Amino acid sequence: MPTNRRFLLQRRPDGTPVAEDFELVSEPAPALEEGQFLIRNHYASLDPAMRGWMDAEGNYMPPIPLGDPVRASTIGVVEESRAEGFEPGQWVMGLNALEDYSIGVTGGFTQPIDPSLVPSVTNYLSIFGAVGMTAYFGFLEVCEPKPGETVLVSGAAGAVGSLVGQLAKIHGCRAVGIAGGPAKCARLTEKYGFDAAIDYRGKDEAALTAAIAKACPDGVDVIFENVGGIILDAGLMNLNLHSRVGLCGLISEYNTEPRGIRNLWQLIVKRAHIRGLLVADYVPRFGEGAAQMGVWASQGQLTIDEHVDEGLEHAFDSFMRLFAGTNDGKMILKIA
Amino acid sequence: MPTNRRFLLQRRPDGTPVAEDFELVSEPAPALEEGQFLIRNHYASLDPAMRGWMDAEGNYMPPIPLGDPVRASTIGVVEESRAEGFEPGQWVMGLNALEDYSIGVTGGFTQPIDPSLVPSVTNYLSIFGAVGMTAYFGFLEVCEPKPGETVLVSGAAGAVGSLVGQLAKIHGCRAVGIAGGPAKCARLTEKYGFDAAIDYRGKDEAALTAAIAKACPDGVDVIFENVGGIILDAGLMNLNLHSRVGLCGLISEYNTEPRGIRNLWQLIVKRAHIRGLLVADYVPRFGEGAAQMGVWASQGQLTIDEHVDEGLEHAFDSFMRLFAGTNDGKMILKIA
């Protein structure tokens, strides 16, 4: 039996997670029952949404039970199988956990993937995974961008945000991104093709509002929101009539009591709306989205950065990069 | 020349308006130019939105210039005319001001009304005016209620809210209203037909959230929001999947720095949206809305209360009732 290192949730974080909320343990890999297969996890996706799963209330997913490994999307290889359709050696992806080995079941969420179709197998956790599909369906279906419109993206250097900016350009929009620090801002314009970048660091709400107004001289028609707080409030002050806010995330609030959004009255003035989006709703259409993203990527119209940290023993530090903003691209943990 | 008393905005209110922000002056009624007519105002509508017009920033309307009378919808009688189509004795309604006499112009917003068609001419400021049309279009078009759904209305004893609750019942929905104090709550269920009423007084956000959950055992499909603050936050915690929030007003914020809405993440969890609404967008369809409201009213399916205070000299106290919640129905000031 190989050893299975597992990164367990031992205590529910109170605000910002600390290392003591988790524990890395070693157990024998589980034995298979009929209909199961053993997945050797190679890469795990680290996502802001995982923070919500650690709370007692849960969100769109049940909370991670205390003592269970932290839930995460992973890609790996079938090591052993007692399930039809999953042969040893097959690459798979699914919603598993931060651990060396996970159990898959026939008819579950785990599906075969083909590494030969993509430049890197990790792309299944970025451009062809939940991140890419969030950008694709969240932006194109929920925000309804039209050519010539101005699209404001917060968390624009992040995995989803950087893709949304590129999709905005593909759709003939002006793309303006908000990110933290000059290096990320340079990446927005130089690498992802944003028309303008705004560094939120050191800016209060009034300064941010003014910076957005300057970067968006025709106002803002679409906000793709990943952050919340004063960044969203400053965006709301720049909305055009009949504009749309796609609410993808509120990462500024995940570890603290929310400051609260104070400019909702702008929705009345501008007859605008804020609509929450969740990629899970589009699972039946992932094939369509992945095919289209693949075409654009192969044409050189879409770039995604992946930030790969190595080692399950660094799971905590890697996860916390998401909140410190020290990751450069889609955060991925290499397990094997 | 008759004397024209005018209730002027002399200073922009800092937070809650005080009497010294205004001044009642007497001037001669203005002389008419060609194309104008003189309106003897009889009744004025006092609305929360007027508070926003007093600020320097304006909202969906330009700010009231300092030294000008406070802008308000009025109904009155043409006293003198140099304009075609407006004869002396004709009843009219329009966006005028808190003053004895206003000037109307051909092609302006002032339109003839027929008091013989309605139980009281004041109904043109309530059920057949902006209030009624806000309830009609704001609820039916923006919130898209379906039979069997649960509709939560804040500010439910107010002019718009009480109509929305009744429209919800006409459309086969469960209607739950939030209001301040036992007398208003009794009015909701006994007079307007709400299925349940929640008294927000003395309740913090957790208690309000629990009270809504109790009154809405199947969750909330539509929120018609007039208040904001913890009332909206508590409502958001009770949303169903794919629910809709029609944002009509945020009266709890008009005189203070907003507390901020902290449960926006529920929009993601529930794939719900908040959409701002403004009755001005529906002006071309007011005829349709008024006709339908008239049918329902004549069938006894719609009741509206009007709270009529008398005397331009009481304009300030009457206006402030809207924020203290001491009005029982649509706030109207009788001028003559």
Side-chain angles (χ1 to χ4, degrees):
Chain A
M1 263 318 169
T3 296
N4 189 17
R5 288 172 309 154
R6 313 182 84 197
F7 184 69
L8 308 184
L9 180 68
Q10 292 293 35
R11 187 175 67 183
R12 305 211 175 273
D14 177 17
T16 302
V18 293
E20 292 70 34
D21 296 329
F22 308 93
E23 190 181 0
L24 187 66
V25 299
S26 289
E27 307 174 356
L32 292 184
E33 297 175 14
E34 193 56 39
Q36 295 184 335
F37 51 97
L38 189 68
I39 305 161
R40 175 64 172 116
N41 289 315
H42 283 240
Y43 297 96
S45 178
L46 300 180
D47 298 292
M50 293 160 64
R51 174 63 188 84
W53 305 341
M54 296 173 187
D55 287 335
E57 302 82 29
N59 41 26
Y60 54 92
M61 282 249 185
I64 301 167
L66 282 182
D68 270 19
V70 172
R71 187 190 294 137
S73 294
T74 69
I75 50 181
V77 176
V78 174
E79 177 130 331
E80 196 191 326
S81 177
R82 296 181 63 185
E84 217 171 317
F86 291 90
E87 300 308 311
Q90 167 73 55
W91 280 85
V92 292
M93 83 178 279
L95 191 59
N96 295 303
L98 297 178
E99 56 188 357
D100 282 317
Y101 294 92
S102 297
I103 293 279
V105 294
T106 322
F109 287 121
T110 301
Q111 52 183 337
I113 55 175
D114 183 348
S116 74
L117 295 177
V118 291
S120 160
V121 71
T122 53
N123 294 167
Y124 283 109
L125 293 180
S126 61
I127 195 165
F128 302 116
V131 159
M133 297 304 100
T134 299
Y136 183 85
F137 292 104
F139 177 59
L140 298 179
E141 304 255 322
V142 175
C143 299
E144 302 176 276
K146 291 183 262 302
E149 289 192 327
T150 297
V151 175
L152 179 68
V153 184
S154 64
V160 173
S162 64
L163 288 173
V164 170
Q166 295 173 82
L167 292 178
K169 294 309 297 175
I170 290 172
H171 281 77
C173 300
R174 177 174 174 81
V176 175
I178 305 177
K184 285 188 179 177
C185 284
R187 215 149 37 94
L188 295 192
T189 53
E190 290 163 16
K191 190 159 187 185
Y192 305 133
F194 281 81
D195 295 287
I198 297 166
D199 184 355
Y200 68 79
R201 295 209 176 146
K203 292 192 176 68
D204 63 9
E205 184 186 329
L208 262 175
T209 302
I212 295 169
K214 195 178 163 198
C216 305
D218 298 324
V220 173
D221 301 292
V222 167
I223 296 178
F224 193 95
E225 186 60 43
N226 292 304
V227 177
I230 65 168
I231 290 181
L232 176 53
D233 264 337
L236 292 175
M237 292 308 294
N238 284 283
L239 288 182
N240 285 334
L241 265 186
H242 306 128
S243 48
R244 296 132 262 151
V245 181
L247 187 62
C248 179
L250 292 159
I251 197 169
S252 71
E253 301 184 351
Y254 292 173
N255 289 324
T256 58
E257 197 58 33
R259 164 187 170 278
I261 298 302
R262 302 176 186 182
N263 294 333
L264 272 195
W265 59 282
Q266 280 292 313
L267 298 183
I268 302 177
V269 174
K270 303 299 172 49
R271 283 79 106 191
H273 69 254
I274 302 181
R275 186 183 294 273
L277 64 96
L278 199 59
V279 71
D281 291 345
Y282 299 95
V283 167
R285 294 175 59 194
F286 272 17
E288 166 198 340
Q292 179 63 76
M293 295 290 271
V295 170
W296 285 325
S298 68
Q299 292 171 344
Q301 293 193 78
L302 275 184
T303 301
I304 187 147
D305 284 311
E306 298 177 350
H307 186 125
V308 182
D309 278 351
E310 199 162 334
L312 205 44
E313 64 277 17
H314 299 126
F316 175 73
D317 292 335
S318 292
F319 180 61
M320 294 309 291
R321 282 185 185 281
L322 295 166
F323 303 99
T326 55
N327 57 312
D328 294 314
K330 173 69 193 99
M331 194 65 228
I332 293 175
L333 185 65
K334 187 174 190 321
I335 295 177
Chain B
M1 264 317 168
T3 296
N4 188 16
R5 288 172 309 155
R6 313 181 84 197
F7 184 69
L8 307 184
L9 180 68
Q10 292 292 37
R11 188 175 66 181
R12 303 212 176 275
D14 177 16
T16 302
V18 294
E20 294 69 33
D21 297 328
F22 308 92
E23 190 182 0
L24 187 66
V25 300
S26 289
E27 307 174 357
L32 292 183
E33 297 176 13
E34 193 56 40
Q36 293 185 335
F37 52 95
L38 189 67
I39 304 161
R40 175 63 172 118
N41 289 316
H42 283 240
Y43 296 95
S45 178
L46 300 180
D47 299 291
M50 293 162 65
R51 174 64 188 85
W53 306 341
M54 297 173 186
D55 287 336
E57 303 81 29
N59 42 25
Y60 53 92
M61 282 248 185
I64 302 167
L66 282 183
D68 270 19
V70 171
R71 186 189 297 137
S73 293
T74 70
I75 50 182
V77 176
V78 175
E79 177 129 331
E80 196 191 326
S81 179
R82 297 181 62 185
E84 217 169 319
F86 291 90
E87 299 308 310
Q90 167 72 56
W91 279 86
V92 292
M93 84 178 278
L95 190 59
N96 295 303
L98 297 178
E99 56 189 356
D100 282 317
Y101 293 92
S102 297
I103 292 281
V105 294
T106 322
F109 286 120
T110 301
Q111 53 182 336
I113 54 175
D114 183 348
S116 74
L117 297 178
V118 290
S120 159
V121 71
T122 54
N123 294 167
Y124 283 108
L125 294 181
S126 61
I127 195 166
F128 302 116
V131 158
M133 297 305 100
T134 298
Y136 184 84
F137 292 105
F139 178 58
L140 297 179
E141 303 254 325
V142 175
C143 299
E144 304 177 274
K146 291 183 261 304
E149 289 192 326
T150 297
V151 175
L152 179 67
V153 184
S154 66
V160 173
S162 64
L163 287 173
V164 170
Q166 294 173 85
L167 292 178
K169 294 308 297 175
I170 290 172
H171 281 76
C173 300
R174 175 173 175 82
V176 175
I178 305 177
K184 286 188 178 177
C185 285
R187 216 149 37 94
L188 295 191
T189 51
E190 290 163 16
K191 191 160 188 184
Y192 305 133
F194 282 81
D195 296 285
I198 297 167
D199 184 354
Y200 69 78
R201 295 209 177 147
K203 290 192 177 69
D204 63 10
E205 185 186 329
L208 262 174
T209 302
I212 295 169
K214 195 178 163 197
C216 305
D218 298 323
V220 174
D221 302 293
V222 167
I223 296 179
F224 193 96
E225 186 60 44
N226 291 303
V227 177
I230 64 169
I231 289 181
L232 176 52
D233 264 336
L236 292 175
M237 292 307 294
N238 284 283
L239 288 182
N240 285 334
L241 264 186
H242 305 128
S243 48
R244 296 132 262 151
V245 181
L247 187 62
C248 178
L250 291 159
I251 197 169
S252 71
E253 302 183 351
Y254 292 174
N255 290 323
T256 58
E257 197 58 34
R259 163 188 170 277
I261 297 302
R262 302 176 186 181
N263 294 333
L264 272 195
W265 59 281
Q266 280 292 313
L267 298 183
I268 301 177
V269 174
K270 303 299 173 51
R271 284 80 106 189
H273 69 253
I274 302 182
R275 186 183 294 272
L277 65 96
L278 200 59
V279 71
D281 291 344
Y282 298 95
V283 167
R285 295 176 58 195
F286 271 18
E288 167 198 340
Q292 179 63 76
M293 295 289 271
V295 169
W296 286 325
S298 68
Q299 292 171 344
Q301 294 194 76
L302 275 184
T303 302
I304 187 146
D305 284 311
E306 298 176 351
H307 186 127
V308 182
D309 278 351
E310 199 162 334
L312 204 45
E313 63 278 17
H314 298 126
F316 174 74
D317 292 335
S318 292
F319 180 61
M320 293 309 292
R321 282 186 185 279
L322 295 167
F323 304 100
T326 56
N327 57 312
D328 294 314
K330 173 71 193 96
M331 196 64 228
I332 292 173
L333 185 66
K334 187 175 190 321
I335 295 177

